[in-house]
Amino acid sequence: MKYNPEEVELKWQRYWEEQKLFLTKEDEREKFYCLEMFPYPSGRIHMGHVRNYAIGDVIARYKRMRGYNVLHPMGWDAFGLPAENAAINHGVHPAKWTYENIDYMKKQLKRMGLSYDWTREVTTCEPEYYRWNQWFFLKMYEMGLAYRKSSTVNWCPSCSTVLANEQVVDGGCWRCDSEVIQKELEQWFLRITAYAEELLQGCEKLIEGWPEHVIAMQKNWIGKSHGAEVDFAIEGSDETIRIFTTRPDTLWGATFMCISPLHPMAEKLTADREALERIKSTYGKAEEKHGLFTGRYAINPVNNERLPIYIANFVLMEYGTGAIMSVPAHDQRDFEFARLFDLPVRVVIEPEGGSLSEPLSEAYEEEGVLVNSAQFSGMPSSEAKKAIIDFLEQKGIGKAKVNYRLRDWGISRQRYWGTPIPIIYCDDCGVVPVPEDDLPVILPKDVELTGTGMSPLLTSEEFLYTSCPRCGKRARRETDTMDTFVDSSWYFIRYCSPKDADALDRKRIKYWMPVDQYIGGVEHAVLHLLYSRFFTRVLRDIGIVDFDEPFTNLLTQGMVCKETLSCPEHGWLLPEEVKDERCIKCGSPVTRGRVEKMSKSKKNVIDPDYLINRYGADTSRLFSLFAAPPEKDLEWSDRGIEGAYRFINRLWSLVHEHSEGLKKVKDQRVEPVGKGASLFRKTHQCIKKVTQDIERRFQFNTAIAAMMELFNEISSFKPSADEDYRIMRFALRNLLLMLSPFAPHVAEELWTVIGEEPSIFNQPWPVWDEEAAKEQEVELVVQINGKVRAKIMIPAGLSDDEIKQKALNDERVQKYTAGREIKKTIVIKGRLINIVL
RNA sequence: GCCGGAGUGGCGGAAUUGGUAGACGCAAGGGACUUAAAAUCCCUCGGGGCAUAGCUCCGUGCCGGUUCGAGUCCGGCCUCCGGCACCA
């Protein structure tokens, strides 16, 4: 009987659905919440999804067999730019585009045979979902966590939208790479900085369950630093400028001062508007430093020196106080600036036990010992930092200060396809929040999408004008929508009670949350994961949840990569555009480029539909789990998938070939006797290995390798008597159970072929017997002076002395030991002996 | 520059955390079956040397160290990949 993946897979997918096998309800069992990052409905799934969801499905099915009540949901991150761009470019309404994509992708996911509870499906563009975005926003507004301010924002002229700092990559838009410019706008912000310290501290709790590098990235992003704020008087003015420094030990080395062009004092200190504008235009540009001398001086409060005040493009208003003291001897940026303006460089820190040769060729940024610093000279930096802060505090001119790089989260987007911000502007009452009872504020359908950069909601009169909830007069709605990261910051909570009738049901949330295992790409290591941690804390403070961290364990899967092909004339090529190492269009030799993340633009993608049509879901899943450990990058291999397919086919044929013999001995007791004794043992060993590989760090690749080994042994075992069949059946039955989370359809089918009742997924995970798994004979490696000189078979469980005797009696060993004194022997139980001569 | 991670056969990757380096898969070579091919099955497969049923030396990016024993631990380098980057 030939293996037909499609037939088998559709059959069992239908069965599971009919049996409602994966629908989940709260019960008395221990819960396990297994979650994969939900996709953006871009149109079709890609190999990254296949890998992500295959990993999640193995975990969910495995945990289910281990007796957990598993929650394994799926949904759609359905708001976002591409839908709107499709509308602009092709005239399709974003809603239509999105829902059609969801339909198609849902079919694809179902075709993969994933064990989701589809009744919990969540779609973020539905009013039942986004009304809670609005509700949280109102709560945050009440709590002072949502606020409006005018600020310069990152603006992508191509996407015509505001970008969060995190969405700016190397000065370009994260989506389209266009250069990002600064623009002044009234924006809504969420005060994530109020939780900066807590989010940082919380990282410690994640150490056990999260990858180290993700925690490092989060800490880095929060960017806590200790230092001091110091007030500098301005000569000829009553005002002072406050600076922040992490190096109070270099205070005596300040030779000038810089303020940000956006600093409120900038306009007061210079009359030259034009020059100020020029500096502003280079603000934040990393390439070069620009400065403008104001003609004014500040007074260094520790030594009363006059310091010229500059306006400098590299001083950021968003960090610290927007003003710095400049110590060119000990800060490379100040050093470069000093060179530019020929400003003095004064050394106040010398390396311990040495001295700097002046003039300096670069700043000395290390810590050291203070010099030229009045009473603090001679003190080491670390000590001086504290002492100087004490001194500043006593004198009332400064204080210790902790700063964070983390900024508040700007959520306003001048876009249509997102959650309307539930705010009304009334001429008399000002900013008025939409009353809770009026939620949701529905996103209107009749909107003109032009891509001009104006909020499209401005074009819907019906939406725009409303009456003020306070005074009843005609008022305008906020027309910006929320950043879509708001949607994904709490969707995992929504899955617990997905229907609006019981939305945010505390009891159900308490049962399921937090997520026990979260699986997704590293690209969300800061953005999504940090926002989710923030939201969870806000929800905790509102009283909806009673924990801090949403995701107990996190698995960040590696990228799916493939070799790239390119031609000097035609650029990236598809594999079918290459013949005999030459481009079929022009005949130029083809460059086999680096193995890179699959992307349409580089033409190195594999379409999951093609894969599943050709090999089936089981093979596709098995290969993506076997080719590399989950957290590492996976290199696509056409041959590799053939290997996985071959394995499944071999298993299929073997089971069918022996199905009669296997069925006949069903329910008969297995005994480890006869020629099958070693297969019996191998089976127990395999259960142990596979279980341990899954339990510790999800090493699916080695788990599959172990199953292949077991299969190879079953396959070379030629059963004749019933006792042989009993053992073969025992081995196969367990192999199918172990394989079932990885290749669920074929496992379920073959389960019935050996005479078992479906569903295999109602079976418990197999257990091994430690005794039965033990080898009776083991290979002893005999080393002499650390080199392997012999390998001998010995019975397991010998004492050290017996092992030593066996080894010394071996003639190959005697060749070396003859006439020499044995200094020492080291015996590793059941494994190795090292004889030191 | 700073912070993470990784370097093992022709390739993807194993190695119970200090105890046989190369599991499993792929590729390659040889053989069987076949009119033939595909598929399938069996054997070989890190490199060198030799008196070639065997023996022996070398081998986990490089140099050193600890140890009876190092892919694994320590010190110093090199290379590659990710993240952050004028954060004062």
Side-chain angles (χ1 to χ4, degrees), chain A residues 616-637:
Chain A
D618 283 331
T619 298
S620 306
R621 293 168 53 132
L622 195 69
F623 170 72
S624 57
L625 296 162
F626 177 62
E631 68 284 358
K632 281 185 123 187
D633 286 353
L634 180 153
E635 189 187 333
W636 175 259
S637 153

Side-chain angles (χ1 to χ4, degrees), chain A residues 179-227:
Chain A
E179 194 183 343
V180 170
I181 59 168
Q182 300 297 310
K183 195 169 167 176
E184 190 92 13
L185 278 176
E186 283 281 314
Q187 300 280 309
W188 285 97
F189 286 84
L190 299 183
R191 210 179 294 279
I192 190 172
T193 54
Y195 291 84
E197 185 60 30
E198 216 202 309
L199 288 166
L200 184 67
Q201 296 297 322
C203 288
E204 302 310 316
K205 278 189 259 171
L206 300 174
I207 286 172
E208 271 186 41
W210 282 37
E212 207 183 344
H213 69 278
V214 175
I215 298 175
M217 281 161 76
Q218 294 233 335
K219 282 185 177 171
N220 200 322
W221 197 264
I222 296 167
K224 183 180 185 178
S225 59
H226 296 268

Side-chain angles (χ1 to χ4, degrees), chain A residues 755-769:
Chain A
E756 299 281 356
E757 286 301 311
S759 167
I760 194 171
F761 295 101
N762 288 329
Q763 294 292 322
W765 184 255
V767 287
W768 75 92
D769 175 347

Side-chain angles (χ1 to χ4, degrees), chain A residues 38 48 114 162 178 324 352 449 455 465 511 541 582 617 665 777:
Chain A
F38 66 168
L114 303 164
V162 171
S178 320
I324 58 168
E352 208 163 331
L449 296 168
S455 292
Y465 295 106
Y511 178 82
D541 292 345
R582 289 183 179 275
V665 298
E777 261 203 324

Side-chain angles (χ1 to χ4, degrees), chain A residues 303-368:
Chain A
N303 58 9
N304 292 320
E305 275 184 32
R306 291 175 85 220
L307 308 177
I309 303 172
Y310 284 79
I311 295 167
N313 72 321
F314 69 91
V315 179
L316 305 173
M317 196 56 222
E318 295 85 353
Y319 183 77
T321 60
I324 58 168
M325 65 168 189
S326 294
V327 185
H330 304 293
D331 183 291
Q332 188 59 25
R333 295 158 299 182
D334 297 345
F335 184 83
E336 283 164 25
F337 195 84
R339 249 192 200 163
L340 211 59
F341 290 89
D342 209 18
L343 293 158
V345 176
R346 186 193 303 150
V347 170
V348 290
I349 306 283
E350 295 273 18
E352 208 163 331
S355 68
L356 298 170
S357 64
E358 295 184 67
L360 300 178
S361 58
E362 57 177 7
Y364 175 75
E365 295 187 322
E366 310 296 307
E367 298 206 332

Side-chain angles (χ1 to χ4, degrees), chain A residues 272-496:
Chain A
D272 191 345
R273 279 297 140 95
E274 217 179 293
L276 180 60
E277 284 308 313
R278 271 205 307 277
I279 294 288
K280 268 191 188 171
S281 71
T282 62
Y283 175 69
K285 291 241 163 78
E287 303 83 57
E288 46 190 322
K289 293 190 167 46
H290 297 278
L292 168 67
F293 179 44
T294 58
R296 306 288 296 269
Y297 291 83
I299 304 300
N300 187 340
V302 298
N303 58 9
N304 292 320
E305 275 184 32
R306 291 175 85 220
L307 308 177
I309 303 172
Y310 284 79
I311 295 167
N313 72 321
F314 69 91
V315 179
L316 305 173
M317 196 56 222
E318 295 85 353
Y319 183 77
T321 60
I324 58 168
M325 65 168 189
S326 294
V327 185
H330 304 293
D331 183 291
Q332 188 59 25
R333 295 158 299 182
D334 297 345
F335 184 83
E336 283 164 25
F337 195 84
R339 249 192 200 163
L340 211 59
F341 290 89
D342 209 18
L343 293 158
V345 176
R346 186 193 303 150
V347 170
V348 290
I349 306 283
E350 295 273 18
E352 208 163 331
S355 68
L356 298 170
S357 64
E358 295 184 67
L360 300 178
S361 58
E362 57 177 7
Y364 175 75
E365 295 187 322
E366 310 296 307
E367 298 206 332
V369 179
L370 276 70
V371 294
N372 299 322
S373 299
Q375 67 268 39
F376 300 100
S377 295
M379 226 183 240
S381 293
S382 53
E383 198 180 312
K385 283 182 185 171
K386 290 182 206 125
I388 290 171
I389 289 172
D390 285 347
F391 170 79
L392 294 170
E393 283 177 352
Q394 269 167 32
K395 287 238 170 182
I397 48 178
K399 57 172 197 278
K401 171 79 182 177
V402 168
N403 253 318
Y404 300 90
R405 292 158 77 145
L406 184 68
R407 319 247 170 98
D408 279 338
W409 175 13
I411 57 156
S412 296
R413 296 290 181 274
Q414 291 66 51
R415 280 296 185 169
Y416 166 67
W417 195 233
T419 306
I421 295 173
I423 288 289
I424 291 165
Y425 300 105
C426 168
D427 286 342
D428 294 346
C429 310
V431 176
V432 183
V434 172
E436 263 184 48
D437 292 345
D438 294 351
L439 295 184
V441 176
I442 301 269
L443 190 65
K445 280 218 138 187
D446 61 326
V447 165
E448 270 177 54
L449 296 168
T450 54
T452 56
M454 297 290 283
S455 292
L457 289 178
L458 283 165
T459 65
S460 169
E461 297 240 331
E462 205 183 318
F463 175 83
L464 185 58
Y465 295 106
T466 182
S467 52
C468 170
R470 279 207 195 129
C471 69
K473 282 208 327 211
R474 191 167 138 103
R476 288 166 54 117
R477 287 190 190 276
E478 167 67 64
T479 53
D480 284 354
T481 54
M482 296 183 198
D483 181 3
T484 55
F485 276 107
V486 173
D487 310 338
S488 54
S489 293
W490 67 281
Y491 75 107
F492 40 90
I493 288 170
R494 191 68 223 249
Y495 283 133
C496 303

